[in-house]
Amino acid sequence: WRRISARIAALIAAGEFFLRSGVTLGDQDCGSNLLVANANGTAEAVRRLADGHCGRLTGEQRRCLAAFQERYSEVGSPPGLAGVMSRVAYLASLRAEFDYLSSDTAEQVRRLTARAFTHLQRLIVADPDVRRRWKAAFDAGETECEKLGACHLLWHGIWAFKCGAAGERTDLVMAEQRFDEQLARCSAQGMVLTEWKLAKGGDTAREGAEGGARRQAERYHGGILAGLEISSPRYLVIVSE
């Protein structure tokens, strides 16, 4: 969607330039044909998004895309400036509404994730049993901390995953199994990429852990999964003594 949104923004800018340029009638026809073709190509990209990610969209997002496709199909083929203005207006309206629907979900996931990490930090301080479990996980290694952390985040509605060697999603708890995207969608409000590293030592160890986590996070090239997963920010989690 981010690519489509950027394409619509560029089309709006091109349309505004075209309308202000004061070109002659013949050039105007040529320019309007080009912009109409661009708008139709963008609408086709919207259709592919709706068809290819239907199961991942929220109800509001599905209705938004369906309403756009219905209205856009009713435009017909008006020539010249009328064709440009009607198509660009529909695309601009879609961009504003769908950006809102997507950003609203992403912001909610960010707040849930921030709450989950704050809760975890305070639990380790306040609850002796939790502190003992985390000390044992710290001694056992990075994988055990990942498992505990992922379970805690799911408690807050967040499905945490990490980036595998090939840049794919890897489950933090059931690492030996194939990543179950369907289970994540039906049991969580959002998915976040987390890279967990242990820092056993001083500042140098922490800096090394942060660098390693950042390199692994950058391997992942996924994007927003239609309001379920957020791609930014990515969480680098450093567990230290």
Side-chain angles (χ1 to χ4, degrees), residues 168-201:
E168 78 284 359
R169 300 181 190 91
T170 300
D171 193 278
L172 292 173
V173 179
M174 304 293 187
E176 68 281 359
Q177 298 182 12
R178 181 177 178 273
F179 186 88
D180 193 339
E181 189 174 296
Q182 179 61 38
L183 179 60
R185 287 206 303 271
C186 70
S187 60
Q189 290 175 259
M191 291 198 297
V192 297
L193 174 70
T194 58
E195 291 294 345
W196 298 72
K197 293 294 179 185
L198 304 189
K200 296 187 176 182

Side-chain angles (χ1 to χ4, degrees), residues 17-209:
F17 172 79
F18 176 67
L19 292 173
R20 293 197 306 265
S21 61
V23 294
T24 62
L25 184 59
D27 291 335
Q28 198 176 83
D29 290 340
C30 181
S32 64
N33 290 339
L34 179 62
L35 290 172
V36 165
N38 195 335
N40 289 341
T42 305
E44 175 61 21
V46 172
R47 185 196 63 77
R48 290 195 300 269
L49 172 69
D51 292 347
H53 298 276
C54 182
R56 300 171 179 175
L57 295 167
T58 66
E60 285 184 313
Q61 288 171 326
R62 285 196 299 271
R63 288 190 291 273
C64 173
L65 295 181
F68 164 77
Q69 291 180 85
E70 181 179 354
R71 290 194 297 265
Y72 195 88
S73 66
E74 295 172 352
V75 172
S77 303
L81 290 177
V84 173
M85 289 188 292
S86 57
R87 286 171 171 81
V88 171
Y90 279 129
L91 286 166
S93 176
L94 168 70
R95 179 174 181 257
E97 183 175 1
F98 203 85
D99 275 352
Y100 167 76
L101 293 175
S102 300
S103 63
D104 185 60
T105 303
E107 182 58 32
Q108 181 184 31
V109 173
R110 288 187 183 93
R111 289 196 300 269
L112 288 173
T113 306
R115 180 195 302 170
F117 279 120
T118 302
H119 182 208
L120 176 56
Q121 289 171 323
R122 287 173 172 255
L123 272 180
I124 291 173
V125 173
D127 191 321
D129 292 333
V130 173
R131 185 161 60 254
R132 279 192 293 270
R133 284 198 297 273
W134 274 91
K135 286 178 68 69
F138 183 78
D139 292 337
E142 183 178 300
T143 300
E144 295 305 310
C145 290
E146 289 176 342
K147 291 178 180 179
L148 277 182
C151 289
H152 180 84
L153 287 169
L154 187 58
W155 190 2
H156 289 269
I158 300 299
W159 190 286
F161 67 97
K162 68 178 180 180
C163 179
E168 78 284 359
R169 300 181 190 91
T170 300
D171 193 278
L172 292 173
V173 179
M174 304 293 187
E176 68 281 359
Q177 298 182 12
R178 181 177 178 273
F179 186 88
D180 193 339
E181 189 174 296
Q182 179 61 38
L183 179 60
R185 287 206 303 271
C186 70
S187 60
Q189 290 175 259
M191 291 198 297
V192 297
L193 174 70
T194 58
E195 291 294 345
W196 298 72
K197 293 294 179 185
L198 304 189
K200 296 187 176 182
D203 292 340
T204 302
R206 182 182 179 87
E207 291 170 4

